[in-house]
Every structure is written in C-alpha cells, then in structure tokens.
C-alpha cells in the first residue's frame, strides 16, 4: 500500500516573523535586563562535519536585532525502510561557528528551537538530540526528544535554559561555538522491509530552520592598574 508523503513547511514569512520577534527567555522571577548590542554580530561556519550536513548543505543567518541566529539544513534526513542504506537510520551534524561579538559584550544560548518533518509508521519512532558548548569548555547536557508513530507532520522541539544556569562566552576571549545535533529513526514494531519511516531537520525552501535565542550581558569593565609606587620624581 502506497503512502503519500506531504511535507507541509512553515512559510518564509512566518519564519522571518519568528526571528524578528524572538526574545531571550529567562528564569521565572526578576532577572537583569539584557539588551542586545547595537553593533551587528557576525557568525561564520568554521568547520562542518557529519552525515547530516555535507559541505554546502548548512547555512547560518543572524537576526537583524541580534536576538537570535538560525541554522538551515538542506540535506538532513534519517530513514529506515526499503532502499534506505544500512547507516541511514542515524544522521548527525557538528558545526563549529566563529562568532564575532561587539567589544564589551558576552552572550549565552537561552533557548533552542529545532524543527523538521517526520513520517513515522505505526510502531516506529524518531529522536532528535542536541547539545552545544564553547571551545575549551564543558559540553551542555545532551537533550533528547522522541516522536512516536504514526506521525505525518512537522515536528518541533524546544530546549530552554534557566537564566541562573546559562553558560556565558568568556569575556575578552575568542572561542568558537560548537553545536552537535543528531536524528535517529527506529522501525520499532513496523516492518522496515515494506514500510518507510523518516525524519528530517531540513527544508527544501529554506523556510524551516533551527533557531537559537541569544541572551546578552555587558562584560565587566577592566580593572584599572594600581598606580606605580615611586612614579613621581624626587623633589628638587
């Protein structure tokens, strides 16, 4: 029995509106007011590795108000079923980003929204996993979201970090930012010899993106050097 595989995707206008209105989500209760730096931040892809993001299939864009950035994939697909390669059930991507931040500011990831499309047979399931970290610093805890079949729709998973637990980029240091993601599909009780299940984190029209919300704070002002003893010459 054949199945239609519709891929209803968010419109470009909806995605643009989502980026434009993204604001950092903090912990409950009063938190310091965080203002994004006025100068434009720049994010570059330093290295891209993984079966889910071959060279040229991942792009990064920064929101105009510096409150978020997006990662868009164009070939991120995990699948099981007739014709699927033996390793096709799991795809991963490791992005190493070079983030240019205006002087005097530091940032942290306060929320990450992952999106894609899933077609899962009854009895099958799919997973999305992700974590991130600054170069030379401990990785964040990997978070896993599971989706169970039957499913034939867009999916979304959100990871939030309480304000008190945010990991800030070190002030005055240039450290690349790493993002690790994974998609996995398991046939479960469905029959992979006759039934196809798949899960994507990509978009054919660049309208479905992973969105990372940024929190900002000013770096502490450098401490003035103590005056040198004996800097004044002897009296005449």
């Amino acid at each position: 029995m054949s199945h239609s595989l519709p891929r209803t995707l968010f419109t470009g206008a909806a995605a643009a509106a989502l980026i434009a209105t993204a604001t950092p989500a903090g912990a409950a209760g009063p938190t310091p007011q965080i203002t994004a730096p006025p100068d434009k931040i720049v994010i570059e892809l330093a290295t891209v590795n993984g079966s889910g993001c071959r060279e040229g299939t991942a792009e990064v864009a920064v929101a105009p108000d510096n409150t978020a950035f997006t990662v868009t994939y164009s070939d991120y697909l995990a699948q099981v079923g007739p014709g699927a390669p033996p390793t096709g059930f799991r795809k991963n991507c490791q992005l190493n980003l070079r983030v240019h931040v205006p002087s005097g500011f530091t940032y942290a990831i306060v929320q990450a929204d992952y999106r894609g499309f899933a077609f899962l047979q009854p009895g099958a399931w799919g997973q999305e996993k992700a974590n991130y970290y600054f170069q030379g610093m401990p990785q964040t805890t990997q978070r896993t979201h599971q989706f169970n079949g039957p499913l034939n729709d867009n999916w979304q998973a959100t990871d939030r970090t309480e304000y008190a637990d945010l990991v800030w980029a070190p002030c005055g240091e240039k450290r690349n930012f790493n993002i690790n993601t994974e998609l996995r599909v398991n046939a479960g009780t469905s029959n992979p010899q006759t039934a196809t299940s798949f899960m994507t984190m990509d978009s054919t029209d660049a309208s479905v993106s992973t969105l990372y919300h940024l929190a900002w704070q000013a770096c502490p002002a450098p401490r003035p050097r103590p005056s040198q003893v004996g800097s004044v010459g002897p009296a005449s």
Side-chain angles (χ1 to χ4, degrees), residues 69 107-112 132 134 161 166-167 177 212-215:
F69 69 90
Y107 70 96
I109 304 298
V110 73
Q111 179 173 315
Y132 50 83
F134 295 104
T161 302
L166 292 179
V167 178
F177 184 66
Y212 294 89
H213 304 256
L214 297 171

Side-chain angles (χ1 to χ4, degrees), residues 8 36-37 41 51 58 66 91-92 148 165 178 182-183 198 231:
T8 305
I41 65 172
S51 55
N66 291 341
K91 293 296 178 70
N92 75 301
N148 298 317
D165 297 325
N178 297 277
E182 175 186 307
L183 289 181
F198 67 85
S231 60

Side-chain angles (χ1 to χ4, degrees), residues 29-136:
T31 57
Q33 181 67 34
I34 300 175
T35 303
D39 296 333
K40 184 67 176 176
I41 65 172
V42 178
I43 300 179
E44 302 171 349
L45 278 172
T47 59
V48 180
N49 293 292
S51 55
C53 55
R54 295 176 296 105
E55 186 176 358
T57 64
E59 297 182 357
V60 180
V62 181
D65 58 1
N66 291 341
T67 61
F69 69 90
T70 63
V71 179
T72 304
Y73 304 95
S74 59
D75 191 23
Y76 204 154
L77 167 70
Q79 61 179 326
V80 295
T87 58
F89 73 96
R90 176 187 177 273
K91 293 296 178 70
N92 75 301
C93 181
Q94 300 179 359
L95 301 179
N96 183 271
L97 306 180
R98 189 178 296 115
V99 183
H100 302 274
V101 177
S103 178
F105 288 89
T106 182
Y107 70 96
I109 304 298
V110 73
Q111 179 173 315
D113 298 326
Y114 300 92
R115 298 181 179 85
F117 184 88
F119 181 83
L120 302 174
Q121 299 285 350
W125 53 265
Q127 285 184 344
E128 176 270 329
K129 299 180 180 180
N131 69 350
Y132 50 83
Y133 61 97
F134 295 104
Q135 182 179 10

Side-chain angles (χ1 to χ4, degrees), residues 34 62 90 108 114 157-158 165 170-172 184-185 190 199-200 225 234:
I34 300 175
V62 181
R90 176 187 177 273
Y114 300 92
T158 296
D165 297 325
C171 286
R184 185 184 296 262
V185 174
S190 68
M199 189 171 178
T200 76
R225 295 181 179 181

